[in-house]
Amino acid sequence: MIQFCVIANKQGRIRLRRIYEHIEEKNQHELELAVVGKCLSRSSKQCNFFYHDHLTVVYKKFTTLCFICVVTKDENELAMQEILNVFMDCLVAYFHHVSELDIVFNIEKVYLILDEIIVNGCVGFTSKERVLVPLQLLEAGS
Amino acid sequence: MALPCVLFSSSVADYDPKEFVKRILNVAVLPTPQILTDNVESYEWAFENKYYSTSVHLCTTDSRTIGDQDFAESVEAFVHYFDPNQLNSFELAKAWLPYLKHIEPEIQILVCECSRYTDVVCRKETLEWCIQNGFELVELSPENDEDEDDDFPETTGMARIIQALNAHTWPNMEMKDSPPVQSPYLRQMMKEQHLINQQNANAVLNSGSETSACENNEDSLTEGVTCNSENQDTDTDLSSHDAGSETDNVKKTDMSSNKESVCNNSTGAVTGNEENVQQSSNASTSNKSADSGDSGGGSSANEQMPLDDINWKALLADSAQTDAPLSEDDIGVEEFEQLFMKLKVMKDKADTMPVDERKKYAEKVAVSFWKAIGGDEDEILGLDDSDAD
């Protein structure tokens, strides 16, 4: 199961956080700090997933942002990698040139997208068209 | 006043932090600075992006300072230049940390020309320090590490510093109204969808006017048939239930009351069904189409079908009485269609008969229904014989 998802910038500042499995806030904070630090310190030639304690960390660097998905070990790393790709694809499809700025100022839309893809720690929809439907409806209405 | 500040400093003798300001303001010569506090010179920088516009102070200092409290609170970003080939320079950068604890800038950037693994301060060490302390390392002239199959190349150098400053939510920023967020791809998609919706709406309007113009038998008949096939379950349930509760003697009165209830029921079903069909064929149907559906269904129910409908049900009730079991699954729409055509005639004929004959006649009708639905011949063999007799 997916424990949590974060988007961090290069300074390690968390821009988006979605937690699916509750752990104590202090522990969660420490875990995030450690995971984000590890992700940021890895070079682009290193593998995009690694193990941290009893968890698998899958991450994807995207310009100045780092998309991180922390999952239990019974999940497939490549599948998680692909989920991150889908998430990114959706963001790119929606925002075109997505940047940290776009995410900061449209965080609710980013959450809307993420919540279609990952539901309660499990993979929901994986079709880009389907994932963007709620946003389209929302905007068609406004 | 108190504009938010970006504080620039340097721990290299030959790099003046004013260089940052020059390049951000994109001027060759800086205007006369404003002195904020001791040793802190500031230049105003107004900038905007697609989400907001704001202006901030770009401040430079040559010595480590937190200024006064106002200044410390107004500093939102800290940018420091160092030289990875001078150990001293890196140490001086580290010496800022206690000051930064007080200033607590949201953005922290460590700048150098280029950080290599062969430098005095190794790239690895620099990166680790940055990550630990929440800094971002920005290289003004980075070495190209060749994995450029990347679709989304990173912004580097001065542009990255400006980008990072842009991605901050400044306390004094003025948000713009409804900035164009969506990609052209998405906008195109939504435009197309809008067009399709419009076309659908038009089509519905046209078809609606057509059916009302030629409200003829054909339309209402097919409507009636589809409605019947869909509503069989409820109808037969109802009739068999009635049949079970009624006795032969009171059947006649019951039938008439049954008639009415069924009639209401079926017209309701017709209109309801009609709306469903309309809605499923056109997601964007307006009230207009629903109205036309209503009137179409209503007229058909009143003019043509309902009598047949009721008779059929009454007869089915009879057939239930005569122990002709009804297997609903076998009922075919086409076969019933033909029987329905005759039903009105049958009903009129039955009305003129005395009770006994009417029962026999009903039996006949039931048998013909039985055959129409492909029921087992054996089961009605006796009935057929008695009829012949």
Side-chain angles (χ1 to χ4, degrees):
Chain A
M1 144 173 205
I2 301 167
Q3 301 283 303
F4 64 89
C5 274
V6 293
I7 299 179
N9 71 4
K10 280 198 155 182
Q11 296 159 52
R13 190 170 296 281
I14 307 279
R15 290 303 190 185
L16 170 144
R17 172 191 292 116
R18 189 59 108 202
I19 301 169
Y20 302 102
E21 179 78 21
H22 176 78
I23 56 172
E24 211 176 302
E25 200 181 332
K26 186 168 153 278
N27 298 344
Q28 172 74 29
H29 183 71
E30 278 170 6
L31 182 60
E32 274 173 20
L33 213 65
V35 165
V36 170
K38 271 192 183 178
C39 289
L40 290 178
S41 58
R42 289 167 76 88
S43 79
S44 57
K45 289 184 179 69
Q46 278 178 290
C47 181
N48 273 0
F49 53 84
F50 59 90
Y51 302 107
H52 180 85
D53 290 344
H54 59 288
L55 295 167
T56 305
V57 179
V58 184
Y59 69 97
K60 169 111 190 149
K61 283 186 182 168
F62 174 77
T63 63
T64 60
L65 296 167
C66 190
F67 293 63
I68 303 167
C69 215
V70 177
V71 301
T72 49
K73 277 198 174 158
D74 53 2
E75 293 283 349
N76 185 304
E77 299 89 347
L78 293 178
M80 286 305 122
Q81 188 89 63
E82 206 48 42
I83 282 299
L84 285 180
N85 279 337
V86 169
F87 184 29
M88 245 181 51
D89 268 2
C90 292
L91 291 181
V92 170
Y94 185 77
F95 293 108
H96 197 41
H97 291 299
V98 61
S99 65
E100 192 179 348
L101 185 70
D102 292 313
I103 289 181
V104 167
F105 286 95
N106 295 285
I107 191 71
E108 77 283 2
K109 288 168 182 163
V110 181
Y111 273 117
L112 262 175
I113 292 173
L114 178 64
D115 287 348
E116 293 295 310
I117 301 171
I118 301 175
V119 185
N120 201 22
C122 300
V123 176
F125 291 106
T126 51
S127 146
K128 188 164 72 184
E129 278 73 21
R130 173 58 189 81
V131 165
L132 292 177
V133 161
L135 272 176
Q136 284 177 46
L137 287 177
L138 211 65
E139 268 152 28
S142 61
Chain B
M1 69 129 239
L3 290 179
C5 297
V6 185
L7 184 60
F8 296 95
S9 74
S10 166
S11 53
V12 179
D14 54 3
Y15 194 92
D16 191 333
K18 288 191 177 62
E19 276 299 310
F20 285 123
V21 182
K22 272 187 196 168
R23 289 179 65 177
I24 289 174
L25 293 177
N26 206 8
V27 291
V29 183
L30 286 175
T32 16
Q34 193 185 342
I35 309 293
L36 282 186
T37 55
D38 301 336
N39 297 320
V40 179
E41 299 178 344
S42 96
Y43 309 85
E44 196 172 319
W45 178 43
F47 65 100
E48 62 178 312
N49 52 47
K50 61 179 168 177
Y51 295 108
Y52 65 85
S53 60
T54 190
S55 53
V56 301
H57 278 310
L58 303 176
C59 307
T60 59
T61 182
D62 296 322
S63 56
R64 286 184 297 282
T65 176
I66 57 168
D68 53 24
Q69 193 181 349
D70 281 349
F71 178 73
E73 276 171 9
S74 66
V75 172
E76 298 278 327
F78 175 71
V79 182
H80 186 87
Y81 185 92
F82 91 112
D83 183 350
N85 281 314
Q86 298 174 27
L87 193 61
N88 187 36
S89 175
F90 189 51
E91 292 303 321
L92 283 173
K94 282 183 183 173
W96 265 98
L97 281 181
Y99 294 85
L100 294 176
K101 276 220 173 65
H102 292 283
I103 296 174
E104 289 182 329
E106 288 277 311
I107 306 167
Q108 303 183 111
I109 299 173
L110 188 67
V111 187
C112 65
E113 283 305 322
C114 181
S115 179
R116 298 179 193 83
Y117 287 98
T118 51
D119 286 337
V120 176
V121 182
C122 171
R123 181 183 171 86
K124 190 166 180 285
E125 193 187 340
T126 314
L127 277 174
E128 267 173 15
W129 182 85
C130 282
I131 289 164
Q132 267 173 21
N133 295 290
F135 270 80
E136 176 176 343
L137 181 69
V138 173
E139 294 162 286
L140 292 179
S141 37
E143 277 181 338
N144 288 331
D145 44 343
E146 294 295 332
D147 54 282
E148 294 313 328
D149 50 339
D150 199 346
D151 294 338
F152 307 99
E154 275 185 33
T155 318
T156 54
M158 215 55 206
R160 171 57 201 151
I161 297 177
I162 293 172
Q163 192 186 48
L165 292 178
N166 267 283
H168 179 57
T169 43
W170 299 93
N172 65 335
M173 65 187 178
E174 282 179 31
M175 299 299 290
K176 291 183 178 175
D177 291 336
S178 58
V181 173
Q182 305 95 342
S183 66
Y185 158 76
L186 203 79
R187 259 175 279 164
Q188 184 62 30
M189 228 159 69
M190 288 182 63
K191 207 185 281 174
E192 280 168 13
Q193 187 59 45
H194 186 66
L195 278 176
I196 291 169
N197 285 351
Q198 271 187 341
Q199 279 168 4
N200 281 349
N202 288 339
V204 166
L205 282 181
N206 291 338
S207 69
S209 60
E210 269 170 32
T211 48
S212 62
C214 59
E215 38 184 356
N216 54 19
N217 302 345
E218 205 178 41
D219 260 351
S220 46
L221 206 133
T222 48
E223 277 163 16
V225 167
T226 51
C227 129
N228 278 326
S229 66
E230 298 238 327
N231 293 320
Q232 266 169 21
D233 287 353
T234 54
D235 289 344
T236 47
D237 276 356
L238 200 140
S239 56
S240 63
H241 171 77
D242 282 351
S245 66
E246 77 196 7
T247 63
D248 280 5
N249 293 341
V250 294
K251 195 195 290 172
K252 195 180 174 185
T253 50
D254 261 24
M255 254 169 67
S256 57
S257 70
N258 193 12
K259 217 182 264 183
E260 278 177 15
S261 72
V262 169
C263 183
N264 291 336
N265 205 338
S266 64
T267 39
V270 167
T271 51
N273 190 29
E274 192 65 21
E275 276 176 21
N276 280 345
V277 169
Q278 291 273 353
Q279 278 172 7
S280 61
S281 66
N282 281 303
S284 64
T285 42
S286 50
N287 292 333
K288 186 109 184 170
S289 72
D291 285 350
S292 73
D294 263 336
S295 64
S299 69
S300 73
N302 289 334
E303 289 162 13
Q304 270 235 328
M305 295 314 292
L307 275 178
D308 291 352
D309 214 17
I310 296 151
N311 281 326
W312 174 61
K313 249 153 256 156
L315 284 164
L316 279 184
D318 276 1
S319 71
Q321 290 281 317
T322 53
D323 287 329
L326 200 81
S327 56
E328 290 156 26
D329 296 347
D330 289 345
I331 298 172
V333 174
E334 293 87 359
E335 286 147 324
F336 270 117
E337 202 173 337
Q338 290 179 333
L339 274 172
F340 282 145
M341 311 295 270
K342 297 179 192 161
L343 260 170
K344 177 100 171 91
V345 187
M346 293 177 182
K347 158 75 177 161
D348 288 346
K349 198 176 167 188
D351 277 347
T352 62
M353 294 172 174
V355 180
D356 281 355
E357 281 185 49
R358 191 183 297 172
K359 264 177 80 179
K360 280 192 176 169
Y361 186 74
E363 243 176 44
K364 271 189 187 171
V365 175
V367 167
S368 58
F369 261 85
W370 181 249
K371 285 177 176 164
I373 63 175
D376 197 342
E377 290 284 339
D378 290 346
E379 298 216 16
I380 51 168
L381 208 59
L383 289 171
D384 256 5
D385 286 347
S386 69
D387 268 356
D389 292 340

